[in-house]
Amino acid sequence: MKIKKIISSTPLYVVFLALYPVLAYLAWNIREVDTRLLYRPLLISLLFSGIILGLMQRAIKDWQKAGLFTALIQFIFFTYGHIKNGLDSLPWPAAKSVWHIVLVLLSAGLLIGIGRVIKRARRPALATQILNAVGLVLLIGPLSTLLTRPAVQPRAAPENTAPIAESGTYPDIYYIILDGYSRQDTLQSLGYDNSAFRDELEQMGFYIATCSRSNYRNTLLSLSSSLNMNYIWRAVPNQGVADKNLQPVYASLLDNRVRRELKERGYTVIAFETGFEWDEWRDADLYLKMHDNPFTAPWLQPFEYGLMQTTALNPLLESGLLAKERFIAHYRRVLFTFEQLPLLTSVPGPKFVFAHIIVPHAPFMFLPDGSINPDTRYYISPAGVGNTRELEIQGYLNNIQFVDAQFPAVLKAILANSAQPPVIIVQGDHGLVAEAQKYNILNAYYLPGGGEQVLYPTITPVNTFRVILNQYLGGNYDLLRDASIDADRGNPFWKKNVRPYPANCP
Protein backbone atom coordinates (compact mmCIF):
# COMPACT_ATOMS: atom_id res chain seq x y z
CA MET A 1 0.00 0.00 0.00
CA LYS A 2 2.82 2.36 0.88
CA ILE A 3 4.60 1.60 -2.43
CA LYS A 4 1.35 2.23 -4.34
CA LYS A 5 0.97 5.58 -2.62
CA ILE A 6 4.55 6.57 -3.42
CA ILE A 7 4.08 5.63 -7.08
CA SER A 8 0.80 7.52 -7.38
CA SER A 9 2.26 10.65 -5.81
CA THR A 10 5.65 10.63 -7.57
CA PRO A 11 5.92 12.47 -10.93
CA LEU A 12 7.04 9.40 -12.89
CA TYR A 13 5.53 11.00 -15.98
CA VAL A 14 8.64 13.17 -16.21
CA VAL A 15 10.58 10.02 -17.08
CA PHE A 16 7.84 8.82 -19.46
CA LEU A 17 7.76 12.18 -21.25
CA ALA A 18 11.53 12.14 -21.57
CA LEU A 19 11.46 8.68 -23.14
CA TYR A 20 8.48 9.17 -25.44
CA PRO A 21 9.84 11.65 -28.06
CA VAL A 22 12.96 9.55 -28.68
CA LEU A 23 11.13 6.24 -28.84
CA ALA A 24 8.35 7.66 -31.03
CA TYR A 25 10.83 9.15 -33.49
CA LEU A 26 12.71 5.87 -33.68
CA ALA A 27 9.48 3.92 -34.22
CA TRP A 28 8.55 6.28 -37.06
CA ASN A 29 11.95 5.76 -38.70
CA ILE A 30 12.42 2.13 -37.72
CA ARG A 31 13.43 1.05 -41.24
CA GLU A 32 16.03 3.76 -41.68
CA VAL A 33 18.27 3.58 -38.63
CA ASP A 34 20.18 1.30 -36.31
CA THR A 35 18.11 0.88 -33.15
CA ARG A 36 21.26 1.35 -31.08
CA LEU A 37 21.20 5.03 -32.07
CA LEU A 38 18.52 5.73 -29.49
CA TYR A 39 20.77 5.25 -26.44
CA ARG A 40 22.59 8.57 -26.62
CA PRO A 41 19.52 10.78 -27.23
CA LEU A 42 17.60 8.83 -24.57
CA LEU A 43 20.32 9.54 -22.01
CA ILE A 44 20.46 13.22 -22.96
CA SER A 45 16.67 13.54 -22.80
CA LEU A 46 16.57 11.94 -19.35
CA LEU A 47 19.40 14.15 -18.09
CA PHE A 48 17.74 17.28 -19.51
CA SER A 49 14.42 16.42 -17.85
CA GLY A 50 16.12 15.45 -14.59
CA ILE A 51 18.00 18.76 -14.40
CA ILE A 52 14.81 20.74 -15.08
CA LEU A 53 12.97 18.77 -12.40
CA GLY A 54 15.76 19.37 -9.90
CA LEU A 55 15.82 23.10 -10.60
CA MET A 56 12.03 23.37 -10.29
CA GLN A 57 12.06 21.47 -7.00
CA ARG A 58 14.77 23.74 -5.64
CA ALA A 59 12.77 26.80 -6.67
CA ILE A 60 9.28 25.86 -5.40
CA LYS A 61 10.04 23.16 -2.77
CA ASP A 62 7.25 20.87 -3.95
CA TRP A 63 7.99 17.69 -5.96
CA GLN A 64 4.55 17.39 -7.43
CA LYS A 65 4.35 20.98 -8.64
CA ALA A 66 7.96 20.79 -9.78
CA GLY A 67 6.94 17.78 -11.86
CA LEU A 68 4.04 19.71 -13.42
CA PHE A 69 6.33 22.62 -14.33
CA THR A 70 8.83 20.15 -15.82
CA ALA A 71 6.12 18.44 -17.88
CA LEU A 72 5.06 21.83 -19.26
CA ILE A 73 8.63 22.62 -20.29
CA GLN A 74 9.01 19.13 -21.80
CA PHE A 75 5.79 19.59 -23.79
CA ILE A 76 6.90 22.95 -25.21
CA PHE A 77 10.44 21.77 -25.93
CA PHE A 78 9.56 18.48 -27.63
CA THR A 79 6.58 19.73 -29.68
CA TYR A 80 8.09 23.02 -30.91
CA GLY A 81 9.66 21.61 -34.09
CA HIS A 82 6.59 19.51 -34.95
CA ILE A 83 4.36 22.57 -34.74
CA LYS A 84 6.83 24.65 -36.76
CA ASN A 85 6.98 22.02 -39.50
CA GLY A 86 3.18 21.88 -39.58
CA LEU A 87 2.94 25.65 -39.92
CA ASP A 88 5.52 25.61 -42.72
CA SER A 89 3.25 23.31 -44.71
CA LEU A 90 0.50 25.94 -44.80
CA PRO A 91 0.08 27.80 -48.14
CA TRP A 92 1.55 31.04 -46.79
CA PRO A 93 5.23 31.15 -47.88
CA ALA A 94 5.66 34.71 -46.67
CA ALA A 95 4.71 33.71 -43.14
CA LYS A 96 7.52 31.16 -42.73
CA SER A 97 9.97 33.77 -41.53
CA VAL A 98 7.68 34.83 -38.66
CA TRP A 99 6.55 31.42 -37.36
CA HIS A 100 9.46 31.22 -34.94
CA ILE A 101 8.50 34.57 -33.45
CA VAL A 102 4.90 33.44 -33.11
CA LEU A 103 5.92 30.17 -31.48
CA VAL A 104 8.34 31.82 -29.05
CA LEU A 105 5.63 34.26 -27.93
CA LEU A 106 3.09 31.46 -27.65
CA SER A 107 5.53 29.32 -25.64
CA ALA A 108 6.24 32.20 -23.31
CA GLY A 109 2.52 32.75 -22.83
CA LEU A 110 1.96 29.08 -22.03
CA LEU A 111 4.79 29.07 -19.50
CA ILE A 112 3.46 32.14 -17.75
CA GLY A 113 -0.24 31.30 -17.93
CA ILE A 114 -0.13 27.59 -17.12
CA GLY A 115 2.72 28.21 -14.69
CA ARG A 116 0.46 30.41 -12.61
CA VAL A 117 -2.23 27.74 -12.61
CA ILE A 118 0.29 25.14 -11.43
CA LYS A 119 1.59 27.42 -8.71
CA ARG A 120 -1.92 27.92 -7.34
CA ALA A 121 -2.98 24.27 -7.74
CA ARG A 122 -4.54 22.81 -4.62
CA ARG A 123 -4.61 19.17 -5.71
CA PRO A 124 -1.31 18.51 -7.54
CA ALA A 125 -1.47 14.87 -6.41
CA LEU A 126 -4.52 14.24 -8.62
CA ALA A 127 -2.78 15.82 -11.62
CA THR A 128 0.27 13.67 -10.87
CA GLN A 129 -1.79 10.47 -10.91
CA ILE A 130 -3.49 11.45 -14.19
CA LEU A 131 -0.22 12.38 -15.91
CA ASN A 132 1.45 9.18 -14.70
CA ALA A 133 -1.31 7.22 -16.43
CA VAL A 134 -1.20 9.36 -19.59
CA GLY A 135 2.58 9.10 -19.80
CA LEU A 136 2.46 5.33 -19.48
CA VAL A 137 -0.21 5.07 -22.19
CA LEU A 138 1.86 7.25 -24.51
CA LEU A 139 4.73 4.78 -24.35
CA ILE A 140 2.57 1.85 -25.45
CA GLY A 141 2.48 2.95 -29.11
CA PRO A 142 6.21 3.28 -29.87
CA LEU A 143 7.18 0.38 -27.59
CA SER A 144 4.74 -1.95 -29.33
CA THR A 145 6.17 -0.92 -32.72
CA LEU A 146 9.73 -1.50 -31.58
CA LEU A 147 9.10 -4.74 -29.71
CA THR A 148 6.91 -6.32 -32.41
CA ARG A 149 9.13 -5.28 -35.28
CA PRO A 150 9.05 -8.25 -37.69
CA ALA A 151 12.30 -10.13 -38.08
CA VAL A 152 13.60 -10.88 -41.53
CA GLN A 153 12.82 -14.50 -42.23
CA PRO A 154 15.11 -16.42 -44.61
CA ARG A 155 13.25 -17.57 -47.68
CA ALA A 156 13.52 -21.01 -49.17
CA ALA A 157 15.99 -21.41 -52.01
CA PRO A 158 14.33 -20.96 -55.42
CA GLU A 159 13.65 -24.04 -57.48
CA ASN A 160 15.51 -22.89 -60.59
CA THR A 161 18.94 -22.18 -59.17
CA ALA A 162 21.93 -22.04 -61.45
CA PRO A 163 23.80 -25.34 -61.66
CA ILE A 164 27.18 -25.35 -59.96
CA ALA A 165 30.03 -25.28 -62.44
CA GLU A 166 32.01 -28.50 -62.47
CA SER A 167 35.45 -27.01 -62.45
CA GLY A 168 37.44 -23.81 -62.54
CA THR A 169 38.04 -21.01 -60.06
CA TYR A 170 35.21 -18.60 -59.51
CA PRO A 171 36.08 -14.90 -59.93
CA ASP A 172 35.63 -12.32 -57.21
CA ILE A 173 32.48 -10.27 -57.85
CA TYR A 174 32.17 -6.62 -56.88
CA TYR A 175 28.68 -5.14 -57.07
CA ILE A 176 29.13 -1.40 -56.54
CA ILE A 177 26.10 0.88 -56.48
CA LEU A 178 26.79 4.58 -57.00
CA ASP A 179 23.44 5.77 -55.71
CA GLY A 180 21.70 8.12 -58.12
CA TYR A 181 24.37 8.13 -60.86
CA SER A 182 22.54 9.12 -64.06
CA ARG A 183 23.25 8.17 -67.65
CA GLN A 184 25.52 10.32 -69.81
CA ASP A 185 22.70 11.91 -71.87
CA THR A 186 20.85 12.93 -68.72
CA LEU A 187 24.02 14.50 -67.34
CA GLN A 188 24.49 16.37 -70.60
CA SER A 189 20.96 17.76 -70.28
CA LEU A 190 22.06 19.12 -66.89
CA GLY A 191 25.10 20.78 -68.44
CA TYR A 192 27.80 18.24 -67.56
CA ASP A 193 29.85 15.97 -69.80
CA ASN A 194 31.21 12.86 -68.06
CA SER A 195 32.97 11.52 -71.16
CA ALA A 196 36.38 11.69 -69.45
CA PHE A 197 35.10 9.37 -66.70
CA ARG A 198 33.56 6.98 -69.21
CA ASP A 199 36.71 7.01 -71.34
CA GLU A 200 38.76 6.11 -68.29
CA LEU A 201 36.47 3.18 -67.50
CA GLU A 202 36.64 1.93 -71.07
CA GLN A 203 40.43 2.15 -71.07
CA MET A 204 40.42 -0.16 -68.04
CA GLY A 205 38.31 -2.64 -70.00
CA PHE A 206 34.81 -1.76 -68.81
CA TYR A 207 31.81 -2.11 -71.08
CA ILE A 208 29.34 0.77 -70.63
CA ALA A 209 25.72 0.07 -71.51
CA THR A 210 25.05 3.43 -73.10
CA CYS A 211 21.25 3.09 -73.19
CA SER A 212 20.75 1.38 -69.83
CA ARG A 213 17.84 2.16 -67.54
CA SER A 214 16.95 1.05 -64.04
CA ASN A 215 14.00 -1.27 -63.63
CA TYR A 216 12.58 0.89 -60.83
CA ARG A 217 12.94 4.53 -59.83
CA ASN A 218 13.82 4.11 -56.16
CA THR A 219 16.56 2.27 -54.32
CA LEU A 220 14.55 -0.33 -52.41
CA LEU A 221 12.72 -1.70 -55.44
CA SER A 222 15.68 -1.29 -57.79
CA LEU A 223 18.16 -3.24 -55.63
CA SER A 224 15.59 -5.85 -54.57
CA SER A 225 14.88 -6.49 -58.24
CA SER A 226 18.50 -6.67 -59.42
CA LEU A 227 19.67 -8.87 -56.54
CA ASN A 228 16.78 -11.27 -57.06
CA MET A 229 17.20 -11.24 -60.86
CA ASN A 230 13.54 -10.57 -61.47
CA TYR A 231 10.78 -8.00 -61.30
CA ILE A 232 9.34 -7.35 -57.86
CA TRP A 233 5.97 -8.97 -58.48
CA ARG A 234 7.75 -12.20 -59.46
CA ALA A 235 10.63 -12.09 -56.98
CA VAL A 236 8.62 -11.26 -53.85
CA PRO A 237 5.53 -13.04 -52.46
CA ASN A 238 2.49 -10.78 -52.89
CA GLN A 239 -1.29 -10.65 -53.15
CA GLY A 240 -1.40 -8.83 -56.48
CA VAL A 241 -0.89 -5.30 -57.78
CA ALA A 242 -2.98 -3.79 -54.96
CA ASP A 243 -0.72 -5.29 -52.28
CA LYS A 244 1.11 -2.52 -50.41
CA ASN A 245 3.01 -4.68 -47.91
CA LEU A 246 6.69 -3.70 -48.08
CA GLN A 247 7.91 -6.18 -45.46
CA PRO A 248 8.67 -8.99 -47.95
CA VAL A 249 10.38 -6.48 -50.24
CA TYR A 250 12.72 -5.41 -47.45
CA ALA A 251 13.32 -9.06 -46.60
CA SER A 252 14.16 -9.86 -50.23
CA LEU A 253 16.84 -7.19 -50.28
CA LEU A 254 18.65 -8.59 -47.25
CA ASP A 255 18.12 -12.26 -48.04
CA ASN A 256 18.31 -12.20 -51.83
CA ARG A 257 18.72 -14.82 -54.51
CA VAL A 258 22.13 -13.68 -55.77
CA ARG A 259 23.60 -13.72 -52.27
CA ARG A 260 22.22 -17.18 -51.54
CA GLU A 261 23.42 -18.71 -54.78
CA LEU A 262 26.92 -17.28 -54.44
CA LYS A 263 27.07 -18.41 -50.83
CA GLU A 264 26.17 -21.94 -51.95
CA ARG A 265 29.22 -21.85 -54.22
CA GLY A 266 31.56 -21.01 -51.38
CA TYR A 267 31.72 -17.23 -51.80
CA THR A 268 32.67 -15.04 -48.86
CA VAL A 269 30.04 -12.29 -48.62
CA ILE A 270 31.37 -8.82 -47.80
CA ALA A 271 29.18 -5.76 -47.24
CA PHE A 272 29.48 -2.16 -46.09
CA GLU A 273 27.59 0.07 -43.71
CA THR A 274 25.33 2.48 -45.60
CA GLY A 275 23.64 4.46 -42.83
CA PHE A 276 20.28 2.87 -43.70
CA GLU A 277 19.45 -0.22 -41.69
CA TRP A 278 17.08 -1.68 -44.28
CA ASP A 279 19.86 -2.39 -46.80
CA GLU A 280 22.77 -3.18 -44.48
CA TRP A 281 23.90 -6.81 -44.63
CA ARG A 282 25.09 -6.98 -41.04
CA ASP A 283 25.11 -10.76 -41.10
CA ALA A 284 27.63 -10.84 -43.97
CA ASP A 285 30.82 -12.86 -43.46
CA LEU A 286 32.68 -9.56 -43.31
CA TYR A 287 30.73 -6.39 -42.49
CA LEU A 288 32.71 -3.15 -42.67
CA LYS A 289 31.72 0.00 -40.79
CA MET A 290 33.48 3.11 -39.58
CA HIS A 291 32.62 2.86 -35.90
CA ASP A 292 31.42 -0.17 -33.94
CA ASN A 293 29.57 1.68 -31.19
CA PRO A 294 27.18 4.50 -32.23
CA PHE A 295 26.98 5.62 -28.59
CA THR A 296 30.62 6.74 -28.65
CA ALA A 297 30.73 7.85 -32.31
CA PRO A 298 32.49 11.25 -32.42
CA TRP A 299 29.89 12.83 -34.70
CA LEU A 300 26.25 13.77 -34.72
CA GLN A 301 24.11 11.00 -36.20
CA PRO A 302 21.40 11.92 -38.78
CA PHE A 303 18.83 10.32 -36.44
CA GLU A 304 19.94 12.63 -33.64
CA TYR A 305 19.84 15.66 -35.91
CA GLY A 306 16.37 14.77 -37.16
CA LEU A 307 15.16 14.37 -33.59
CA MET A 308 16.62 17.76 -32.67
CA GLN A 309 14.68 19.32 -35.57
CA THR A 310 11.42 18.33 -33.87
CA THR A 311 12.37 20.20 -30.67
CA ALA A 312 12.87 23.80 -29.61
CA LEU A 313 16.38 23.54 -31.08
CA ASN A 314 14.72 23.82 -34.51
CA PRO A 315 15.52 27.55 -35.02
CA LEU A 316 19.24 26.94 -34.46
CA LEU A 317 19.29 24.08 -36.96
CA GLU A 318 17.30 25.93 -39.59
CA SER A 319 19.83 28.74 -39.45
CA GLY A 320 22.43 26.23 -40.72
CA LEU A 321 24.08 25.64 -37.36
CA LEU A 322 25.32 22.05 -37.09
CA ALA A 323 24.33 21.31 -40.71
CA LYS A 324 27.79 20.04 -41.46
CA GLU A 325 27.80 17.92 -38.30
CA ARG A 326 24.50 16.36 -39.38
CA PHE A 327 26.07 14.83 -42.47
CA ILE A 328 29.70 14.42 -41.47
CA ALA A 329 29.15 10.70 -40.83
CA HIS A 330 27.81 10.35 -44.37
CA TYR A 331 30.80 12.21 -45.78
CA ARG A 332 33.27 10.03 -43.90
CA ARG A 333 31.35 6.85 -44.77
CA VAL A 334 31.70 7.51 -48.50
CA LEU A 335 35.45 8.11 -48.18
CA PHE A 336 35.76 5.06 -45.91
CA THR A 337 34.14 2.85 -48.54
CA PHE A 338 36.37 4.25 -51.28
CA GLU A 339 39.42 3.53 -49.13
CA GLN A 340 38.39 0.02 -48.08
CA LEU A 341 37.28 -1.40 -51.43
CA PRO A 342 40.82 -1.86 -52.85
CA LEU A 343 42.00 -3.45 -49.58
CA LEU A 344 39.50 -6.28 -49.97
CA THR A 345 41.63 -7.83 -52.71
CA SER A 346 43.70 -9.36 -49.88
CA VAL A 347 40.68 -11.32 -48.57
CA PRO A 348 40.90 -14.90 -49.89
CA GLY A 349 38.41 -15.57 -52.66
CA PRO A 350 36.08 -16.18 -54.14
CA LYS A 351 34.24 -13.25 -52.59
CA PHE A 352 31.10 -11.28 -53.33
CA VAL A 353 31.44 -7.62 -52.36
CA PHE A 354 28.28 -5.52 -52.11
CA ALA A 355 28.97 -1.80 -51.73
CA HIS A 356 26.00 0.55 -51.83
CA ILE A 357 27.60 4.00 -51.76
CA ILE A 358 25.25 6.94 -51.17
CA VAL A 359 26.84 9.24 -53.74
CA PRO A 360 26.21 11.17 -56.00
CA HIS A 361 22.82 11.03 -54.27
CA ALA A 362 22.00 13.74 -51.74
CA PRO A 363 23.22 15.06 -49.37
CA PHE A 364 25.30 17.14 -51.76
CA MET A 365 28.26 17.64 -49.44
CA PHE A 366 31.14 17.12 -51.83
CA LEU A 367 33.00 19.64 -53.90
CA PRO A 368 34.65 18.25 -57.04
CA ASP A 369 38.00 17.95 -55.24
CA GLY A 370 36.45 15.82 -52.46
CA SER A 371 36.40 18.51 -49.80
CA ILE A 372 33.25 19.47 -47.91
CA ASN A 373 31.15 22.20 -49.48
CA PRO A 374 31.13 25.05 -46.93
CA ASP A 375 27.80 26.33 -48.30
CA THR A 376 25.30 24.38 -46.20
CA ARG A 377 22.42 25.38 -48.50
CA TYR A 378 23.46 22.46 -50.69
CA TYR A 379 22.54 19.92 -48.03
CA ILE A 380 19.98 21.67 -45.85
CA SER A 381 17.10 24.08 -46.42
CA PRO A 382 17.60 27.20 -44.28
CA ALA A 383 14.51 29.19 -43.31
CA GLY A 384 13.44 31.55 -46.06
CA VAL A 385 15.94 30.17 -48.57
CA GLY A 386 14.93 26.61 -49.45
CA ASN A 387 16.84 24.10 -51.51
CA THR A 388 16.15 25.50 -54.97
CA ARG A 389 16.30 23.41 -58.13
CA GLU A 390 19.46 25.25 -59.15
CA LEU A 391 21.18 24.37 -55.88
CA GLU A 392 20.04 20.76 -56.19
CA ILE A 393 21.43 20.36 -59.70
CA GLN A 394 24.72 22.10 -58.92
CA GLY A 395 25.14 20.07 -55.73
CA TYR A 396 24.40 16.87 -57.63
CA LEU A 397 26.95 17.74 -60.32
CA ASN A 398 29.52 18.56 -57.64
CA ASN A 399 29.00 15.05 -56.25
CA ILE A 400 29.22 13.58 -59.76
CA GLN A 401 32.51 15.35 -60.42
CA PHE A 402 33.89 14.08 -57.11
CA VAL A 403 33.02 10.50 -58.09
CA ASP A 404 34.44 10.97 -61.59
CA ALA A 405 37.71 12.27 -60.17
CA GLN A 406 38.18 9.81 -57.29
CA PHE A 407 36.47 6.54 -58.16
CA PRO A 408 38.58 5.42 -61.16
CA ALA A 409 41.58 5.09 -58.82
CA VAL A 410 39.53 2.70 -56.66
CA LEU A 411 38.74 0.50 -59.65
CA LYS A 412 42.33 0.57 -60.91
CA ALA A 413 43.57 -0.56 -57.50
CA ILE A 414 41.06 -3.44 -57.38
CA LEU A 415 42.13 -4.60 -60.84
CA ALA A 416 45.83 -4.21 -60.13
CA ASN A 417 45.78 -6.02 -56.79
CA SER A 418 43.43 -8.91 -57.61
CA ALA A 419 45.06 -12.34 -57.89
CA GLN A 420 42.86 -13.11 -60.88
CA PRO A 421 40.66 -10.76 -62.95
CA PRO A 422 37.48 -10.00 -61.00
CA VAL A 423 33.98 -9.25 -62.17
CA ILE A 424 33.05 -5.65 -61.37
CA ILE A 425 29.67 -4.01 -61.84
CA VAL A 426 29.39 -0.24 -61.31
CA GLN A 427 25.76 0.77 -61.47
CA GLY A 428 23.36 3.53 -60.59
CA ASP A 429 20.17 2.38 -58.90
CA HIS A 430 18.23 5.32 -60.37
CA GLY A 431 18.95 8.75 -61.81
CA LEU A 432 18.28 12.28 -60.61
CA VAL A 433 15.85 13.97 -62.97
CA ALA A 434 12.16 13.43 -62.36
CA GLU A 435 9.75 11.42 -64.48
CA ALA A 436 11.07 9.14 -67.25
CA GLN A 437 14.68 10.36 -67.09
CA LYS A 438 14.94 9.19 -63.50
CA TYR A 439 15.35 5.66 -64.86
CA ASN A 440 18.42 6.52 -66.96
CA ILE A 441 21.49 5.13 -65.17
CA LEU A 442 25.20 4.49 -65.41
CA ASN A 443 25.70 0.75 -65.96
CA ALA A 444 29.31 -0.39 -66.43
CA TYR A 445 30.71 -3.94 -66.44
CA TYR A 446 34.19 -5.39 -66.20
CA LEU A 447 33.74 -8.98 -67.39
CA PRO A 448 37.10 -10.69 -67.93
CA GLY A 449 37.79 -13.35 -70.54
CA GLY A 450 35.62 -11.80 -73.23
CA GLY A 451 32.50 -11.68 -71.07
CA GLU A 452 31.54 -8.29 -72.48
CA GLN A 453 30.48 -10.02 -75.70
CA VAL A 454 27.19 -11.05 -74.08
CA LEU A 455 26.36 -7.48 -73.06
CA TYR A 456 24.28 -4.99 -75.03
CA PRO A 457 23.53 -1.23 -74.79
CA THR A 458 20.03 -1.54 -73.30
CA ILE A 459 20.72 -4.14 -70.61
CA THR A 460 19.00 -3.37 -67.31
CA PRO A 461 19.96 -4.47 -63.76
CA VAL A 462 17.37 -7.27 -63.69
CA ASN A 463 19.58 -9.15 -66.17
CA THR A 464 22.95 -8.23 -64.61
CA PHE A 465 23.42 -11.37 -62.52
CA ARG A 466 21.69 -13.60 -65.04
CA VAL A 467 24.51 -12.73 -67.43
CA ILE A 468 27.22 -13.15 -64.77
CA LEU A 469 25.94 -16.47 -63.43
CA ASN A 470 25.63 -17.80 -67.00
CA GLN A 471 29.07 -16.58 -67.99
CA TYR A 472 31.17 -17.49 -64.97
CA LEU A 473 29.29 -19.93 -62.73
CA GLY A 474 27.73 -22.36 -65.17
CA GLY A 475 24.25 -20.84 -65.07
CA ASN A 476 21.54 -21.37 -67.64
CA TYR A 477 19.28 -18.37 -67.14
CA ASP A 478 17.13 -16.86 -69.86
CA LEU A 479 17.40 -13.10 -70.10
CA LEU A 480 14.26 -11.20 -69.18
CA ARG A 481 12.67 -8.40 -71.13
CA ASP A 482 14.40 -5.14 -70.18
CA ALA A 483 11.75 -2.77 -68.86
CA SER A 484 11.30 0.14 -66.48
CA ILE A 485 8.32 -0.16 -64.15
CA ASP A 486 6.11 2.58 -62.74
CA ALA A 487 6.08 1.35 -59.14
CA ASP A 488 7.17 2.87 -55.84
CA ARG A 489 7.13 2.15 -52.11
CA GLY A 490 3.43 2.90 -51.96
CA ASN A 491 2.66 0.49 -54.79
CA PRO A 492 5.61 -1.92 -55.01
CA PHE A 493 3.85 -4.58 -57.10
CA TRP A 494 2.59 -2.42 -59.94
CA LYS A 495 3.46 -3.69 -63.42
CA LYS A 496 2.94 -0.66 -65.66
CA ASN A 497 5.82 -0.01 -68.07
CA VAL A 498 7.45 3.38 -68.46
CA ARG A 499 8.55 4.34 -71.96
CA PRO A 500 12.25 5.08 -72.42
CA TYR A 501 13.28 8.71 -72.55
CA PRO A 502 14.43 9.76 -75.03
CA ALA A 503 12.59 7.25 -77.23
CA ASN A 504 15.67 6.78 -79.39
CA CYS A 505 18.65 6.46 -77.08
CA PRO A 506 21.79 8.10 -78.57
Side-chain angles (χ1 to χ4, degrees):
M1 195 71 180
K2 186 176 181 181
I3 295 177
K4 183 178 179 181
K5 183 178 180 181
I6 293 174
I7 293 176
S8 63
S9 62
T10 302
L12 298 176
Y13 57 82
V14 171
V15 175
F16 301 152
L17 294 180
L19 297 175
Y20 175 76
V22 182
L23 295 176
Y25 191 70
L26 178 65
W28 182 258
N29 296 279
I30 190 62
R31 286 288 181 190
E32 307 295 327
V33 298
D34 183 342
T35 53
R36 293 178 300 168
L37 291 175
L38 68 85
Y39 300 137
R40 191 159 63 181
L42 269 183
L43 178 60
I44 293 172
S45 181
L46 288 169
L47 286 174
F48 165 76
S49 301
I51 290 171
I52 297 298
L53 178 62
L55 292 175
M56 291 296 101
Q57 158 62 15
R58 186 170 183 178
I60 60 180
K61 313 298 183 184
D62 185 317
W63 276 114
Q64 293 180 342
K65 289 185 178 182
L68 295 174
F69 270 110
T70 302
L72 175 61
I73 294 172
Q74 287 176 306
F75 174 78
I76 293 172
F77 182 83
F78 287 115
T79 61
Y80 184 101
H82 291 289
I83 297 172
K84 171 62 168 57
N85 293 334
L87 292 173
D88 283 345
S89 66
L90 297 176
W92 305 322
K96 288 186 177 182
S97 59
V98 302
W99 287 136
H100 282 306
I101 297 174
V102 172
L103 286 176
V104 167
L105 293 176
L106 180 61
S107 298
L110 284 173
L111 280 172
I112 294 172
I114 298 180
R116 288 178 177 175
V117 173
I118 293 172
K119 190 174 182 180
R120 298 172 182 174
R122 296 181 179 180
R123 300 181 63 189
L126 177 61
T128 297
Q129 294 173 19
I130 294 172
L131 287 177
N132 279 345
V134 169
L136 192 57
V137 170
L138 276 178
L139 289 179
I140 292 175
L143 283 176
S144 62
T145 299
L146 297 174
L147 295 176
T148 62
R149 180 186 180 194
V152 175
Q153 298 295 332
R155 294 185 296 141
E159 294 181 3
N160 298 320
T161 57
I164 298 177
E166 294 181 0
S167 61
T169 303
Y170 297 143
D172 292 341
I173 301 174
Y174 292 79
Y175 189 36
I176 303 172
I177 300 297
L178 296 176
D179 199 301
Y181 200 114
S182 297
R183 205 170 67 192
Q184 71 278 355
D185 52 329
T186 298
L187 294 178
Q188 287 171 356
S189 72
L190 299 176
Y192 177 68
D193 180 4
N194 75 335
S195 59
F197 174 68
R198 288 182 286 115
D199 289 345
E200 200 164 1
L201 293 186
E202 289 175 341
Q203 289 169 10
M204 287 184 240
F206 279 83
Y207 173 91
I208 299 177
T210 54
C211 293
S212 185
R213 290 162 59 78
S214 63
N215 302 107
Y216 293 90
R217 64 173 180 260
N218 70 64
T219 300
L220 173 62
L221 301 187
S222 182
L223 293 185
S224 297
S225 173
S226 63
L227 285 164
N228 286 287
M229 303 187 291
N230 218 323
Y231 294 96
I232 295 298
W233 68 84
R234 292 177 185 154
V236 177
N238 65 88
Q239 302 300 316
V241 294
D243 192 344
K244 298 181 183 296
N245 182 16
L246 278 176
Q247 170 57 26
V249 183
Y250 283 112
S252 73
L253 177 54
L254 300 179
D255 177 35
N256 57 75
R257 186 171 185 174
V258 169
R259 180 179 175 182
R260 290 196 305 272
E261 293 198 7
L262 293 178
K263 191 65 181 173
E264 287 172 3
R265 286 155 178 77
Y267 273 76
T268 297
V269 176
I270 303 175
F272 284 86
E273 173 190 27
T274 66
F276 298 94
E277 187 175 19
W278 52 268
D279 81 332
E280 291 181 329
W281 298 3
R282 298 180 184 174
D283 58 343
D285 298 308
L286 178 59
Y287 178 66
L288 301 173
K289 59 188 302 184
M290 292 187 299
H291 202 279
D292 288 332
N293 187 351
F295 187 84
T296 57
W299 49 70
L300 189 65
Q301 302 284 356
F303 171 78
E304 295 169 330
Y305 189 95
L307 178 62
M308 290 165 64
Q309 283 185 308
T310 67
T311 71
L313 297 176
N314 182 285
L316 298 178
L317 302 181
E318 283 199 346
S319 69
L321 186 68
L322 299 180
K324 188 182 297 184
E325 285 70 19
R326 175 186 183 184
F327 295 114
I328 194 65
H330 162 79
Y331 175 83
R332 293 179 179 177
R333 190 178 297 115
V334 170
L335 297 181
F336 172 80
T337 307
F338 277 24
E339 293 166 359
Q340 292 296 313
L341 275 169
L343 302 180
L344 296 178
T345 56
S346 62
V347 177
K351 52 185 171 287
F352 174 46
V353 180
F354 174 58
H356 176 199
I357 311 174
I358 316 298
V359 70
H361 192 283
F364 305 126
M365 287 197 74
F366 290 89
L367 289 176
D369 64 358
S371 60
I372 297 178
N373 192 335
D375 188 346
T376 60
R377 293 180 304 162
Y378 284 96
Y379 38 95
I380 194 173
S381 298
V385 177
N387 220 349
T388 66
R389 181 62 175 167
E390 291 75 16
L391 284 175
E392 180 186 14
I393 292 175
Q394 185 54 57
Y396 175 72
L397 294 180
N398 284 343
N399 276 8
I400 286 277
Q401 292 176 73
F402 156 71
V403 172
D404 289 1
Q406 303 293 330
F407 197 62
V410 174
L411 299 175
K412 289 177 181 176
I414 293 173
L415 293 172
N417 298 331
S418 294
Q420 70 178 76
V423 169
I424 305 177
I425 307 105
V426 180
Q427 207 170 74
D429 54 341
H430 57 75
L432 170 72
V433 182
E435 307 305 331
Q437 273 185 290
K438 194 175 180 71
Y439 294 89
N440 297 349
I441 59 168
L442 170 71
N443 197 0
Y445 299 80
Y446 185 87
L447 302 185
E452 73 281 355
Q453 295 177 11
V454 299
L455 298 172
Y456 50 98
T458 57
I459 187 172
T460 61
V462 76
N463 282 317
T464 292
F465 284 99
R466 288 176 175 262
V467 166
I468 291 169
L469 291 176
N470 289 350
Q471 192 71 12
Y472 299 100
L473 286 87
N476 187 27
Y477 287 101
D478 294 329
L479 298 189
L480 303 180
R481 179 176 60 90
D482 292 299
S484 296
I485 307 300
D486 182 18
D488 53 31
R489 287 180 180 233
N491 299 283
F493 301 106
W494 278 11
K495 303 179 181 181
K496 181 182 177 182
N497 288 357
V498 176
R499 293 181 179 180
Y501 183 89
N504 298 316
C505 177

